[in-house]
Amino acid sequence: MAQKPWLQGLGILFFGVFLYPKMTAAQQPTLNLMPIPASVQAGSGSLRVDSSFSVALSGHGEARLDRAVERFLRQLAHQTALPLLLKPGKNPKATLVIQTEHASKEIQEVGEDESYVLEVSATGAKLSAPTPLGTMHGLQTFLQLVEVSPDGFAAPSVTVQDRPRFPWRGLMIDSARHFIPLDVIRRNIDGMEAVKMNVFHWHLSENQGFRVESRKFPKLHELGSGGLFYTQDEIRDLIAYARDCGIRVVPEFDMPGHSTAWFVGHPELASGKGPYEIERKWGVFDPAMDPTNEKVYKLLDDLIGEMAKIFPDHFFHIGGDEVNGKEWDANPKIQAFMKTHGIKNNGELQAYFSGRVQKLVVKHGKVVVGWDEVLVPGVPKDIVIQSWRGQAALAHAAKQGYRGILSNGYYLDLGWPAARHYAIDPMSGDAANLTPEEKQRILGGESCMWAEYVNAENVDSRIWPRNAAIAERLWSPEEVRDPASMYARLDFIGARLDWLGLTHKTYYGKMLHRIAGTSSLVEFAALRTLADLVEPVKDYTREQTAPAEPTSASPMNRLVDAVPLESDAGRHFGELVNQYLAASCRDADAEARLRAQLTLWRDNDARLQPLARRSFLVKEVAANSQDLSALGVAGLAALDAIAKDQPASDTWKAQQLAVIEQVKKPKSQLLLIPAPAVQKLIEAAAAGGTCFTAKP
Amino acid sequence: MAQKPWLQGLGILFFGVFLYPKMTAAQQPTLNLMPIPASVQAGSGSLRVDSSFSVALSGHGEARLDRAVERFLRQLAHQTALPLLLKPGKNPKATLVIQTEHASKEIQEVGEDESYVLEVSATGAKLSAPTPLGTMHGLQTFLQLVEVSPDGFAAPSVTVQDRPRFPWRGLMIDSARHFIPLDVIRRNIDGMEAVKMNVFHWHLSENQGFRVESRKFPKLHELGSGGLFYTQDEIRDLIAYARDCGIRVVPEFDMPGHSTAWFVGHPELASGKGPYEIERKWGVFDPAMDPTNEKVYKLLDDLIGEMAKIFPDHFFHIGGDEVNGKEWDANPKIQAFMKTHGIKNNGELQAYFSGRVQKLVVKHGKVVVGWDEVLVPGVPKDIVIQSWRGQAALAHAAKQGYRGILSNGYYLDLGWPAARHYAIDPMSGDAANLTPEEKQRILGGESCMWAEYVNAENVDSRIWPRNAAIAERLWSPEEVRDPASMYARLDFIGARLDWLGLTHKTYYGKMLHRIAGTSSLVEFAALRTLADLVEPVKDYTREQTAPAEPTSASPMNRLVDAVPLESDAGRHFGELVNQYLAASCRDADAEARLRAQLTLWRDNDARLQPLARRSFLVKEVAANSQDLSALGVAGLAALDAIAKDQPASDTWKAQQLAVIEQVKKPKSQLLLIPAPAVQKLIEAAAAGGTCFTAKP
């Protein structure tokens, strides 16, 4: 990852140009780039993009570049509805002239040069990059620059000099707990390309499924997948498509735990007695491979050999997480083996297993990636640790000479706000204190989409657009960290991703219609109002609060499955309350808007009631609906109290806060997001005064 | 088309059961069937539909029925998100037991038995049909019956005895003026199946394109399509898929006019000198085949032979419409031929041509379908007339012994309200006075999606859900004609069609986002408010009012391309005004709702202004936005005047009506739909009085 000379200086020189201040509605961002480039220098004027738009390729040529330009042109045509010639040419007077210096590696490597320079002026645009990887990133930046303008579509004059901060910027999708069809994977690859991620980590085996066709061991997928697996041809196609987008594909076969599905067809690999069935529940289960059985290594040798041929990437992920050891403890043969070989505990037994598997992976020409647990004394220095534990674990590994990628903090399924993911930096905490050489070992990070509660219908909405915030964290300079700017651009990128066929926006109406059934406009609007203000419970509380034990056969048709993981409406309400309370004296406009919303909420439950009587899926959230009305009543009371210009009574305050406490309790696995903001209003009312003393 | 004995009596017996009265919000329809079946008898209780739901096939078996059940189960699983076993079985205790008597014809014919009986009770469902065609229709009825209920998903207990009124219920899609990709065609086939249409009429050649691969005459598609054509394999797949859905595919090759694209590769067929280029504009053009040239018949013989093998349907559409005769008039050879053969005018010359082509079609085993113009003296009695002229032309043809289908009144591209299409009956007008035998010759009708202003992005929205109203006209008993019931069910079916992958709902937000570009929530909502209340200009006024001559290369990114052809919000406002004015004394609730809407409109232009300054696509509709605000002001003034309990002055009335007249003028090819409703308010104000004398 050689740094281009011009970047060394320019990174500082141009930095101040693009950091957006906190934006207000009147002060729209002029550039909606995400991730924000290393440097952006604004010019004057803009380049008109009309149906005469053309692209020329020069310098290094390869079919992948032609396809990249065709994809870019199709996308541009889609985004503008302009009839464009969809082929690149060679004319040096083309609107966009691309110069690529040389080929990238035949098998894409970690740390290849992904930099590019994009210069847009009123008369034309020029994109230069050392390799096709940079060219492809530059094309995505250009797409983001094109906007509707007063005179047609246009890209502003600008010079972008860009390169990634980290060489490993990944998204993991778990296709094992719920099978995710190939077309869904493919459109997510498109999404990754749009935000310049470059590693698709494919979690392919689990207790709940073995998802790859094995011709050597067909019982693995035939008995271990319920018929839901990818054929080898499909995988090859997907990998070729990802390569076309500058994205590596790292397969993960999780072992020795998380492997029940393997044992349905191959019980002889397990440490327990079997027989085994595909697991339908969620959690950490007992079945684990038998590290003392040579047959296990024989099969893994052949299987890894087979898979190594299908997956060309240099890295091979062997999982290694969450082995509870119960089958090992219960198996006398394993206990005897441990005694004979002086293996003192299950940790050491797993280390023994990992060491053996690691050698098999090396034998087939690959480098091991594994979760934190694979880092045990004596493991070769070239392995890569994927950390679900955090920066401290990564820093610890880096000090010992191991490379690592961060996933702690980037678990998309936990339902955190995008800003919380965004604030997490692989180089923070203990990692901040590493030497420069040690820091080089922190390769980047991966967001993870674990699939207990996602399927083809809602998975896009769990990944996008929030994944773009993580992509920006891994690409953009460390100093880029303003959440307000991030959220403004996230809205924009969310709309752009819609053009790629991702369903993170369109799924919502469909799922709400299923929940509502036949409904009047008023009823449906009431459901939508409620749905827009709730979020699924966070972290791992969904299992704990489930009305019945969830399984892979549980229908995902409830409101908790339908609502986005982050409520935009809830966030906006909170911002409005902050704005209202931050004003040194009363902000009449903000107050009017708050009253309008709170009134709508107060009256919403009555509008939703008929639907709750007709649909069990609405009935389930009747308590949430009542809570929303209670929140409306409490908020209006607070505004009335504030208007009285004197502190509200302690009794009143206590009553109101009791309502808030009740509302804050999750119901039907949903949280009502505006509760803390209404609480602020109540506290302001209790503090009293026309001009606020309580600040947000 | 033998009528089952039980239907003869039951048609009358049960008819009253299902005709919905005008529905209010409180009085939701319990059955949302569309098209309404011939008879429906409500039972008590309902059949629970949960993950144990199963289907058994009995009686006649064929692979198509298995696939139909699998498609049905996938659809049901999609609609409910229940994990269903997606295969039919043989268990007579299955939830839904299907009994099919015998096979339908190998090549689907006009007038085959499509009837079915569906009996749903609390303990199970039974579907019986003489042929797989009826079985498939019954499955669609069952899907429509399944609704969310207080206790889960359920289908109400009901006995449906159903058969179509007309045997030919078609949708024509013009894939020639704009190419419509196969996946779009395919999802429209799904939509047709859902509303029980059974003919897909594929308009495949035009001045603007020849869209089918011809291996015998490859210059036809290679030079005549700009690369946008269907391969023969793709067409075979599509036909097989349509057959699976009980849908015939009738190809149309339009000749001797509408054929410029043929002449690009084969100028020798034309009556003019050439050379020819693919036509990019819209309208009726001069180029026409040379009816005096034997080479024309030689090529058509071979081509029809080639196409007859690909398209198995018994019918073959030769177009025949709109020949302006100018090339014939200008060609001395043709004039000499006419003199020699005693052909007196161009009409006779076209008749000569049609006669020759008709013989070629017969030679290749097919029956001709053609537009009105092909009906000339001496044409064999077995041809079918597709009438764009109307019921009188059809009745005239029927009296002469010709069969016919109606398309006049069913042109989806003209932007009529669904209710207007719905009111048009093939058997009305002159057709009502035919003898029973003559009436038998009126086979049904076809809606037509002409493609000047549609492409893959918006075509679904021009067809759906409004096409369901035409489908109901052609399937349901003649007495089914209540537009209020139709509209209520159209909303429902529109949401259901969304599950099929049709994009008639989801395209809208995407297109509005393109128009808006980066926008605040307030700005986007303002655009949406305006967009929801306008419709494209009607009939053929779009060409006449175009800012620049439209061509096939014109970007379809304007608001006129984005808004639905029928404004639901506009219709609802009109209904609210009617409700308000129909009340014998003032309806305070309706008044409050009217005031809220009018106030929103009044203030909308100010909210939209910033966007109009940034986006040329919004700037284009600035005048429409000002009109909406003017309408809001006028409507509020009318409500104020009504509140004064005395007639408003003539001066006031004249001023207000002048505003309305201004607003009614189309701008940017858009009509502001609520104008007439606001006019009613003004007129009521001018009439005066607390209790209205003016009735809607």
Side-chain angles (χ1 to χ4, degrees), chain A residues 32 78 80 83 147 149 514 518 553 557 614 616 619, chain B residues 32 78 80 83 147 149-150 514 518 553 557 614 616:
Chain A
N32 274 308
H78 199 170
T80 58
E147 251 286 28
S149 83
R514 177 194 288 141
T518 310
N557 53 18
R614 293 204 303 277
F616 75 107
K619 190 166 66 177
Chain B
N32 274 308
H78 199 171
T80 58
E147 252 286 27
S149 84
R514 177 193 288 142
T518 310
N557 54 18
R614 291 202 305 276
F616 75 108

PDB file of all heavy atoms in Angstrom, chain A residues 32 78 80 83 147 149 514 518 553 557 614 616 619, chain B residues 32 78 80 83 147 149-150 514 518 553 557 614 616:
ATOM      1  N   ASN A  32     -22.436  15.599  -1.796  1.00  0.00           N
ATOM      2  CA  ASN A  32     -22.975  14.510  -0.983  1.00  0.00           C
ATOM      3  C   ASN A  32     -22.123  13.265  -1.115  1.00  0.00           C
ATOM      4  O   ASN A  32     -22.640  12.186  -1.360  1.00  0.00           O
ATOM      5  CB  ASN A  32     -24.397  14.214  -1.444  1.00  0.00           C
ATOM      6  CG  ASN A  32     -25.396  15.110  -0.753  1.00  0.00           C
ATOM      7  OD1 ASN A  32     -25.394  15.185   0.473  1.00  0.00           O
ATOM      8  ND2 ASN A  32     -26.217  15.783  -1.513  1.00  0.00           N
ATOM      9  N   HIS A  78     -29.701   5.353 -15.412  1.00  0.00           N
ATOM     10  CA  HIS A  78     -30.795   5.033 -14.500  1.00  0.00           C
ATOM     11  C   HIS A  78     -31.076   6.218 -13.561  1.00  0.00           C
ATOM     12  O   HIS A  78     -32.219   6.613 -13.343  1.00  0.00           O
ATOM     13  CB  HIS A  78     -30.370   3.797 -13.696  1.00  0.00           C
ATOM     14  CG  HIS A  78     -31.506   3.079 -13.053  1.00  0.00           C
ATOM     15  ND1 HIS A  78     -31.381   1.859 -12.462  1.00  0.00           N
ATOM     16  CD2 HIS A  78     -32.790   3.396 -12.904  1.00  0.00           C
ATOM     17  CE1 HIS A  78     -32.527   1.482 -11.969  1.00  0.00           C
ATOM     18  NE2 HIS A  78     -33.401   2.398 -12.222  1.00  0.00           N
ATOM     19  N   THR A  80     -30.446   9.336 -14.018  1.00  0.00           N
ATOM     20  CA  THR A  80     -30.872  10.576 -14.685  1.00  0.00           C
ATOM     21  C   THR A  80     -32.010  10.350 -15.671  1.00  0.00           C
ATOM     22  O   THR A  80     -32.632  11.306 -16.107  1.00  0.00           O
ATOM     23  CB  THR A  80     -29.702  11.163 -15.498  1.00  0.00           C
ATOM     24  OG1 THR A  80     -29.275  10.176 -16.453  1.00  0.00           O
ATOM     25  CG2 THR A  80     -28.529  11.529 -14.605  1.00  0.00           C
ATOM     26  N   PRO A  83     -30.926   9.035 -22.099  1.00  0.00           N
ATOM     27  CA  PRO A  83     -30.551   7.952 -23.004  1.00  0.00           C
ATOM     28  C   PRO A  83     -29.066   8.085 -23.345  1.00  0.00           C
ATOM     29  O   PRO A  83     -28.678   8.953 -24.113  1.00  0.00           O
ATOM     30  CB  PRO A  83     -31.429   8.207 -24.236  1.00  0.00           C
ATOM     31  CG  PRO A  83     -31.743   9.665 -24.208  1.00  0.00           C
ATOM     32  CD  PRO A  83     -31.595  10.143 -22.786  1.00  0.00           C
ATOM     33  N   GLU A 147     -25.792  15.490  -9.971  1.00  0.00           N
ATOM     34  CA  GLU A 147     -27.010  15.896  -9.282  1.00  0.00           C
ATOM     35  C   GLU A 147     -27.895  16.667 -10.253  1.00  0.00           C
ATOM     36  O   GLU A 147     -27.401  17.212 -11.246  1.00  0.00           O
ATOM     37  CB  GLU A 147     -26.638  16.834  -8.106  1.00  0.00           C
ATOM     38  CG  GLU A 147     -26.807  16.231  -6.730  1.00  0.00           C
ATOM     39  CD  GLU A 147     -28.246  16.097  -6.259  1.00  0.00           C
ATOM     40  OE1 GLU A 147     -29.160  15.965  -7.095  1.00  0.00           O
ATOM     41  OE2 GLU A 147     -28.443  16.125  -5.036  1.00  0.00           O
ATOM     42  N   SER A 149     -29.741  19.879 -11.387  1.00  0.00           N
ATOM     43  CA  SER A 149     -29.348  21.276 -11.164  1.00  0.00           C
ATOM     44  C   SER A 149     -30.397  22.165 -11.823  1.00  0.00           C
ATOM     45  O   SER A 149     -31.314  21.676 -12.480  1.00  0.00           O
ATOM     46  CB  SER A 149     -27.970  21.525 -11.782  1.00  0.00           C
ATOM     47  OG  SER A 149     -28.099  21.801 -13.163  1.00  0.00           O
ATOM     48  N   ARG A 514     -48.792  -5.819   4.691  1.00  0.00           N
ATOM     49  CA  ARG A 514     -49.099  -7.177   5.153  1.00  0.00           C
ATOM     50  C   ARG A 514     -49.660  -7.130   6.568  1.00  0.00           C
ATOM     51  O   ARG A 514     -50.609  -7.831   6.906  1.00  0.00           O
ATOM     52  CB  ARG A 514     -47.842  -8.029   5.119  1.00  0.00           C
ATOM     53  CG  ARG A 514     -48.060  -9.437   5.642  1.00  0.00           C
ATOM     54  CD  ARG A 514     -46.741 -10.138   5.905  1.00  0.00           C
ATOM     55  NE  ARG A 514     -46.078 -10.497   4.676  1.00  0.00           N
ATOM     56  CZ  ARG A 514     -44.755 -10.419   4.485  1.00  0.00           C
ATOM     57  NH1 ARG A 514     -43.966  -9.981   5.452  1.00  0.00           N
ATOM     58  NH2 ARG A 514     -44.223 -10.777   3.345  1.00  0.00           N
ATOM     59  N   THR A 518     -56.319  -5.152   4.654  1.00  0.00           N
ATOM     60  CA  THR A 518     -57.136  -4.101   4.050  1.00  0.00           C
ATOM     61  C   THR A 518     -57.321  -2.981   5.065  1.00  0.00           C
ATOM     62  O   THR A 518     -57.723  -3.230   6.190  1.00  0.00           O
ATOM     63  CB  THR A 518     -58.518  -4.657   3.669  1.00  0.00           C
ATOM     64  OG1 THR A 518     -58.311  -5.839   2.924  1.00  0.00           O
ATOM     65  CG2 THR A 518     -59.299  -3.653   2.849  1.00  0.00           C
ATOM     66  N   ALA A 553     -37.934 -21.063  11.708  1.00  0.00           N
ATOM     67  CA  ALA A 553     -39.238 -21.187  11.055  1.00  0.00           C
ATOM     68  C   ALA A 553     -40.221 -20.122  11.533  1.00  0.00           C
ATOM     69  O   ALA A 553     -41.367 -20.094  11.081  1.00  0.00           O
ATOM     70  CB  ALA A 553     -39.822 -22.574  11.302  1.00  0.00           C
ATOM     71  N   ASN A 557     -43.019 -11.548  10.106  1.00  0.00           N
ATOM     72  CA  ASN A 557     -44.047 -10.659   9.570  1.00  0.00           C
ATOM     73  C   ASN A 557     -44.543  -9.669  10.611  1.00  0.00           C
ATOM     74  O   ASN A 557     -45.526  -8.969  10.395  1.00  0.00           O
ATOM     75  CB  ASN A 557     -45.222 -11.482   9.010  1.00  0.00           C
ATOM     76  CG  ASN A 557     -45.769 -12.477  10.027  1.00  0.00           C
ATOM     77  OD1 ASN A 557     -45.514 -12.346  11.225  1.00  0.00           O
ATOM     78  ND2 ASN A 557     -46.523 -13.459   9.552  1.00  0.00           N
ATOM     79  N   ARG A 614     -58.898  -5.824  13.751  1.00  0.00           N
ATOM     80  CA  ARG A 614     -58.981  -6.711  12.590  1.00  0.00           C
ATOM     81  C   ARG A 614     -57.722  -7.535  12.330  1.00  0.00           C
ATOM     82  O   ARG A 614     -57.791  -8.598  11.728  1.00  0.00           O
ATOM     83  CB  ARG A 614     -59.296  -5.890  11.321  1.00  0.00           C
ATOM     84  CG  ARG A 614     -60.669  -5.271  11.300  1.00  0.00           C
ATOM     85  CD  ARG A 614     -61.143  -4.991   9.880  1.00  0.00           C
ATOM     86  NE  ARG A 614     -60.233  -4.131   9.147  1.00  0.00           N
ATOM     87  CZ  ARG A 614     -60.212  -2.802   9.205  1.00  0.00           C
ATOM     88  NH1 ARG A 614     -61.065  -2.185   9.993  1.00  0.00           N
ATOM     89  NH2 ARG A 614     -59.362  -2.101   8.500  1.00  0.00           N
ATOM     90  N   PHE A 616     -54.203  -9.368  13.757  1.00  0.00           N
ATOM     91  CA  PHE A 616     -53.430  -9.812  14.934  1.00  0.00           C
ATOM     92  C   PHE A 616     -52.058  -9.161  14.963  1.00  0.00           C
ATOM     93  O   PHE A 616     -51.454  -9.009  16.025  1.00  0.00           O
ATOM     94  CB  PHE A 616     -53.328 -11.347  14.961  1.00  0.00           C
ATOM     95  CG  PHE A 616     -52.365 -11.953  13.955  1.00  0.00           C
ATOM     96  CD1 PHE A 616     -51.144 -12.491  14.366  1.00  0.00           C
ATOM     97  CD2 PHE A 616     -52.682 -11.998  12.608  1.00  0.00           C
ATOM     98  CE1 PHE A 616     -50.264 -13.057  13.457  1.00  0.00           C
ATOM     99  CE2 PHE A 616     -51.809 -12.565  11.688  1.00  0.00           C
ATOM    100  CZ  PHE A 616     -50.604 -13.087  12.103  1.00  0.00           C
ATOM    101  N   LYS A 619     -52.782  -5.842  16.467  1.00  0.00           N
ATOM    102  CA  LYS A 619     -53.183  -6.064  17.865  1.00  0.00           C
ATOM    103  C   LYS A 619     -51.952  -6.265  18.748  1.00  0.00           C
ATOM    104  O   LYS A 619     -51.903  -5.797  19.888  1.00  0.00           O
ATOM    105  CB  LYS A 619     -54.111  -7.281  17.940  1.00  0.00           C
ATOM    106  CG  LYS A 619     -54.779  -7.486  19.285  1.00  0.00           C
ATOM    107  CD  LYS A 619     -55.935  -8.480  19.190  1.00  0.00           C
ATOM    108  CE  LYS A 619     -55.466  -9.887  18.855  1.00  0.00           C
ATOM    109  NZ  LYS A 619     -56.579 -10.856  18.826  1.00  0.00           N
TER     110      LYS A 619
ATOM    111  N   ASN B  32     -62.544  -8.878  -0.804  1.00  0.00           N
ATOM    112  CA  ASN B  32     -61.901  -7.973  -1.746  1.00  0.00           C
ATOM    113  C   ASN B  32     -61.586  -8.686  -3.050  1.00  0.00           C
ATOM    114  O   ASN B  32     -60.471  -8.630  -3.531  1.00  0.00           O
ATOM    115  CB  ASN B  32     -60.614  -7.440  -1.120  1.00  0.00           C
ATOM    116  CG  ASN B  32     -60.888  -6.231  -0.260  1.00  0.00           C
ATOM    117  OD1 ASN B  32     -61.511  -5.286  -0.724  1.00  0.00           O
ATOM    118  ND2 ASN B  32     -60.444  -6.270   0.975  1.00  0.00           N
ATOM    119  N   HIS B  78     -45.300 -15.502   0.478  1.00  0.00           N
ATOM    120  CA  HIS B  78     -44.833 -14.129   0.340  1.00  0.00           C
ATOM    121  C   HIS B  78     -45.823 -13.161   0.993  1.00  0.00           C
ATOM    122  O   HIS B  78     -45.453 -12.241   1.720  1.00  0.00           O
ATOM    123  CB  HIS B  78     -44.699 -13.843  -1.157  1.00  0.00           C
ATOM    124  CG  HIS B  78     -43.831 -12.677  -1.484  1.00  0.00           C
ATOM    125  ND1 HIS B  78     -43.441 -12.367  -2.750  1.00  0.00           N
ATOM    126  CD2 HIS B  78     -43.279 -11.724  -0.698  1.00  0.00           C
ATOM    127  CE1 HIS B  78     -42.696 -11.289  -2.743  1.00  0.00           C
ATOM    128  NE2 HIS B  78     -42.582 -10.878  -1.507  1.00  0.00           N
ATOM    129  N   THR B  80     -47.962 -13.713   3.324  1.00  0.00           N
ATOM    130  CA  THR B  80     -48.172 -13.895   4.758  1.00  0.00           C
ATOM    131  C   THR B  80     -46.865 -13.956   5.534  1.00  0.00           C
ATOM    132  O   THR B  80     -46.874 -13.832   6.754  1.00  0.00           O
ATOM    133  CB  THR B  80     -48.900 -15.226   5.019  1.00  0.00           C
ATOM    134  OG1 THR B  80     -48.098 -16.286   4.466  1.00  0.00           O
ATOM    135  CG2 THR B  80     -50.275 -15.239   4.376  1.00  0.00           C
ATOM    136  N   PRO B  83     -43.753 -19.688   6.783  1.00  0.00           N
ATOM    137  CA  PRO B  83     -42.886 -20.694   6.161  1.00  0.00           C
ATOM    138  C   PRO B  83     -43.754 -21.878   5.734  1.00  0.00           C
ATOM    139  O   PRO B  83     -44.190 -22.663   6.556  1.00  0.00           O
ATOM    140  CB  PRO B  83     -41.932 -21.075   7.302  1.00  0.00           C
ATOM    141  CG  PRO B  83     -42.670 -20.771   8.565  1.00  0.00           C
ATOM    142  CD  PRO B  83     -43.711 -19.740   8.265  1.00  0.00           C
ATOM    143  N   GLU B 147     -56.626 -13.110   4.182  1.00  0.00           N
ATOM    144  CA  GLU B 147     -56.427 -11.787   4.762  1.00  0.00           C
ATOM    145  C   GLU B 147     -55.903 -11.954   6.188  1.00  0.00           C
ATOM    146  O   GLU B 147     -56.093 -12.990   6.806  1.00  0.00           O
ATOM    147  CB  GLU B 147     -57.785 -11.063   4.829  1.00  0.00           C
ATOM    148  CG  GLU B 147     -57.957  -9.932   3.832  1.00  0.00           C
ATOM    149  CD  GLU B 147     -57.168  -8.676   4.192  1.00  0.00           C
ATOM    150  OE1 GLU B 147     -56.124  -8.764   4.875  1.00  0.00           O
ATOM    151  OE2 GLU B 147     -57.606  -7.592   3.780  1.00  0.00           O
ATOM    152  N   SER B 149     -56.248 -11.498  10.019  1.00  0.00           N
ATOM    153  CA  SER B 149     -57.467 -11.487  10.836  1.00  0.00           C
ATOM    154  C   SER B 149     -57.065 -11.289  12.292  1.00  0.00           C
ATOM    155  O   SER B 149     -55.877 -11.232  12.604  1.00  0.00           O
ATOM    156  CB  SER B 149     -58.211 -12.817  10.656  1.00  0.00           C
ATOM    157  OG  SER B 149     -57.667 -13.794  11.524  1.00  0.00           O
ATOM    158  N   PRO B 150     -58.042 -11.206  13.190  1.00  0.00           N
ATOM    159  CA  PRO B 150     -57.679 -11.011  14.606  1.00  0.00           C
ATOM    160  C   PRO B 150     -56.847 -12.162  15.171  1.00  0.00           C
ATOM    161  O   PRO B 150     -56.151 -11.997  16.161  1.00  0.00           O
ATOM    162  CB  PRO B 150     -59.039 -10.915  15.307  1.00  0.00           C
ATOM    163  CG  PRO B 150     -59.985 -10.460  14.239  1.00  0.00           C
ATOM    164  CD  PRO B 150     -59.495 -11.088  12.976  1.00  0.00           C
ATOM    165  N   ARG B 514     -35.525  11.417  -8.101  1.00  0.00           N
ATOM    166  CA  ARG B 514     -34.691  11.885  -9.217  1.00  0.00           C
ATOM    167  C   ARG B 514     -35.025  13.340  -9.539  1.00  0.00           C
ATOM    168  O   ARG B 514     -34.136  14.156  -9.788  1.00  0.00           O
ATOM    169  CB  ARG B 514     -34.941  11.010 -10.436  1.00  0.00           C
ATOM    170  CG  ARG B 514     -34.158  11.471 -11.660  1.00  0.00           C
ATOM    171  CD  ARG B 514     -34.672  10.796 -12.919  1.00  0.00           C
ATOM    172  NE  ARG B 514     -34.301   9.398 -12.964  1.00  0.00           N
ATOM    173  CZ  ARG B 514     -35.081   8.432 -13.427  1.00  0.00           C
ATOM    174  NH1 ARG B 514     -36.304   8.715 -13.875  1.00  0.00           N
ATOM    175  NH2 ARG B 514     -34.669   7.187 -13.450  1.00  0.00           N
ATOM    176  N   THR B 518     -31.213  16.122  -4.085  1.00  0.00           N
ATOM    177  CA  THR B 518     -31.074  16.242  -2.638  1.00  0.00           C
ATOM    178  C   THR B 518     -32.120  17.213  -2.125  1.00  0.00           C
ATOM    179  O   THR B 518     -32.230  18.322  -2.628  1.00  0.00           O
ATOM    180  CB  THR B 518     -29.683  16.778  -2.286  1.00  0.00           C
ATOM    181  OG1 THR B 518     -28.727  15.993  -2.974  1.00  0.00           O
ATOM    182  CG2 THR B 518     -29.442  16.681  -0.801  1.00  0.00           C
ATOM    183  N   ALA B 553     -35.988   9.118 -27.943  1.00  0.00           N
ATOM    184  CA  ALA B 553     -34.791   9.424 -27.145  1.00  0.00           C
ATOM    185  C   ALA B 553     -35.064  10.485 -26.081  1.00  0.00           C
ATOM    186  O   ALA B 553     -34.158  10.865 -25.342  1.00  0.00           O
ATOM    187  CB  ALA B 553     -33.666   9.900 -28.068  1.00  0.00           C
ATOM    188  N   ASN B 557     -38.045  11.639 -17.539  1.00  0.00           N
ATOM    189  CA  ASN B 557     -37.713  11.937 -16.140  1.00  0.00           C
ATOM    190  C   ASN B 557     -38.504  13.112 -15.602  1.00  0.00           C
ATOM    191  O   ASN B 557     -38.227  13.601 -14.513  1.00  0.00           O
ATOM    192  CB  ASN B 557     -36.206  12.185 -15.997  1.00  0.00           C
ATOM    193  CG  ASN B 557     -35.698  13.254 -16.957  1.00  0.00           C
ATOM    194  OD1 ASN B 557     -36.486  14.039 -17.491  1.00  0.00           O
ATOM    195  ND2 ASN B 557     -34.389  13.286 -17.174  1.00  0.00           N
ATOM    196  N   ARG B 614     -33.354  24.779  -7.348  1.00  0.00           N
ATOM    197  CA  ARG B 614     -32.207  23.875  -7.500  1.00  0.00           C
ATOM    198  C   ARG B 614     -32.372  22.842  -8.614  1.00  0.00           C
ATOM    199  O   ARG B 614     -31.378  22.357  -9.145  1.00  0.00           O
ATOM    200  CB  ARG B 614     -31.953  23.129  -6.185  1.00  0.00           C
ATOM    201  CG  ARG B 614     -31.440  24.011  -5.063  1.00  0.00           C
ATOM    202  CD  ARG B 614     -30.703  23.205  -3.995  1.00  0.00           C
ATOM    203  NE  ARG B 614     -31.489  22.119  -3.443  1.00  0.00           N
ATOM    204  CZ  ARG B 614     -32.362  22.239  -2.461  1.00  0.00           C
ATOM    205  NH1 ARG B 614     -32.598  23.414  -1.919  1.00  0.00           N
ATOM    206  NH2 ARG B 614     -33.014  21.191  -2.012  1.00  0.00           N
ATOM    207  N   PHE B 616     -34.065  21.621 -12.271  1.00  0.00           N
ATOM    208  CA  PHE B 616     -34.820  22.021 -13.475  1.00  0.00           C
ATOM    209  C   PHE B 616     -36.104  21.221 -13.627  1.00  0.00           C
ATOM    210  O   PHE B 616     -37.057  21.689 -14.235  1.00  0.00           O
ATOM    211  CB  PHE B 616     -33.936  21.884 -14.726  1.00  0.00           C
ATOM    212  CG  PHE B 616     -33.702  20.468 -15.202  1.00  0.00           C
ATOM    213  CD1 PHE B 616     -34.309  19.998 -16.362  1.00  0.00           C
ATOM    214  CD2 PHE B 616     -32.856  19.603 -14.514  1.00  0.00           C
ATOM    215  CE1 PHE B 616     -34.088  18.700 -16.826  1.00  0.00           C
ATOM    216  CE2 PHE B 616     -32.624  18.306 -14.966  1.00  0.00           C
ATOM    217  CZ  PHE B 616     -33.245  17.855 -16.114  1.00  0.00           C
TER     218      PHE B 616
END
